[in-house]
């Protein structure tokens, strides 16, 4: 008798636990659905998305961006050389990350920070250009006039080096911006991501 009551109690508890677990997972699915819909503000506003696309194409055609892209390829070779030495996978150059990095390089001329001039995180430039990421990182620098020199600076800074070697990253973009009247004249941004 005692055994039968114990068995009935266990079955009842099992059903209750199952129902609660099912409710919990359904709630999680709903939450993640809402997050995926709302996570990228540009998707909610087609006008903003069109504006961002127009801006993206305009940047890609600019002389400054074309120079920046050449430097991005050189910096990527140096980044991958350091990563391979330490058993990390090579990063792949990503056009959208290069545009985002170029935008950030221009921004840090007037506001040298990992926050954007608006006060928002650097990663908002990713979403602006349609990058849906689960890892994002940034290195910034100023005053270095060549890819080799800026990489030397980053590799001799513990936090920057850690970003360059982070195993979770898969994609890379680099931005370079020159402004003769600015304090440091040469401005660099590395953007890292995984998606």
């Amino acid at each position: 008798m005692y055994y039968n009551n114990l068995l009935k109690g266990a079955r009842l508890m099992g059903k209750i636990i199952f129902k609660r677990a099912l409710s919990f997972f359904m709630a999680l699915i709903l939450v993640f659905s809402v997050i995926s819909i709302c996570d990228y503000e540009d998707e909610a506003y087609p006008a903003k998305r069109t504006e961002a696309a127009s801006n993206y194409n305009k940047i890609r055609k600019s002389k400054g961006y074309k120079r920046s892209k050449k430097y991005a390829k050189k910096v990527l070779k140096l980044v991958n050389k350091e990563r391979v030495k330490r058993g990390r996978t090579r990063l792949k150059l990503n056009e959208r990350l290069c545009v985002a990095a170029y935008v950030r390089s221009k921004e840090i001329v007037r506001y040298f920070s990992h926050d954007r001039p608006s006060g928002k995180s650097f990663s908002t430039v990713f979403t602006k250009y349609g990058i849906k990421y689960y890892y994002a990182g940034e290195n910034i620098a100023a005053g270095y006039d060549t890819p080799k020199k800026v990489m030397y600076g980053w590799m001799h800074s513990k936090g920057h080096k850690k970003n360059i070697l982070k195993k979770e990253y898969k994609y890379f973009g680099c931005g370079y911006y020159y402004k003769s009247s600015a304090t440091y004249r040469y401005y660099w941004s590395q953007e890292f991501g995984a998606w």
Side-chain angles (χ1 to χ4, degrees), residues 131-177:
I131 301 167
K132 300 177 182 181
Y133 62 91
Y134 56 84
Y135 283 108
E138 174 180 81
N139 285 341
I140 57 176
Y144 299 96
D145 62 347
T146 67
K148 213 172 206 177
K149 288 178 185 176
V150 75
M151 269 301 290
Y152 180 86
W154 279 325
M155 289 305 292
H156 286 83
S157 163
K158 188 177 179 181
H160 295 105
K161 182 178 179 178
K162 185 178 176 182
N163 240 357
I164 289 168
L165 301 176
K166 190 170 183 173
K167 65 181 178 180
E168 288 83 4
Y169 295 142
K170 305 288 181 219
Y171 301 101
F172 172 84
C174 183
Y176 163 81
Y177 185 71

Side-chain angles (χ1 to χ4, degrees), residues 80 82-90 165-167:
N80 281 335
E82 296 296 338
R83 288 177 65 88
V84 168
K85 268 196 243 178
R86 292 161 179 87
R88 302 286 193 266
T89 58
R90 293 176 181 273
L165 301 176
K166 190 170 183 173
K167 65 181 178 180

Side-chain angles (χ1 to χ4, degrees), residues 3-87:
Y3 176 76
N4 286 340
N5 288 338
L6 188 62
L7 192 57
K8 285 181 186 176
R11 284 187 189 142
L12 181 61
M13 285 299 290
K15 287 181 182 177
I16 292 170
I17 291 171
F18 176 77
K19 285 181 182 178
R20 286 190 178 166
L22 185 61
S23 296
F24 174 76
F25 286 115
M26 292 303 287
L28 275 179
I29 290 168
L30 180 62
V31 167
F32 285 120
S33 297
V34 169
I35 288 171
S36 67
I37 291 167
C38 300
D39 201 18
Y40 306 100
E41 62 179 296
D42 292 337
E43 291 182 5
Y45 304 99
K48 281 189 179 182
R49 189 171 56 227
T50 305
E51 180 185 322
S54 171
N55 188 17
Y56 173 79
N57 290 326
K58 185 178 174 184
I59 289 168
R60 287 182 63 218
K61 292 176 185 175
S62 72
K63 286 181 185 177
Y65 176 75
K66 288 176 182 175
R67 184 180 326 115
S68 177
K69 183 84 182 278
K70 286 179 186 175
Y71 280 146
K73 290 175 183 176
K74 291 178 181 180
V75 173
L76 178 63
K77 283 182 183 177
L78 297 169
V79 165
N80 281 335
K81 182 178 175 184
E82 296 296 338
R83 288 177 65 88
V84 168
K85 268 196 243 178
R86 292 161 179 87

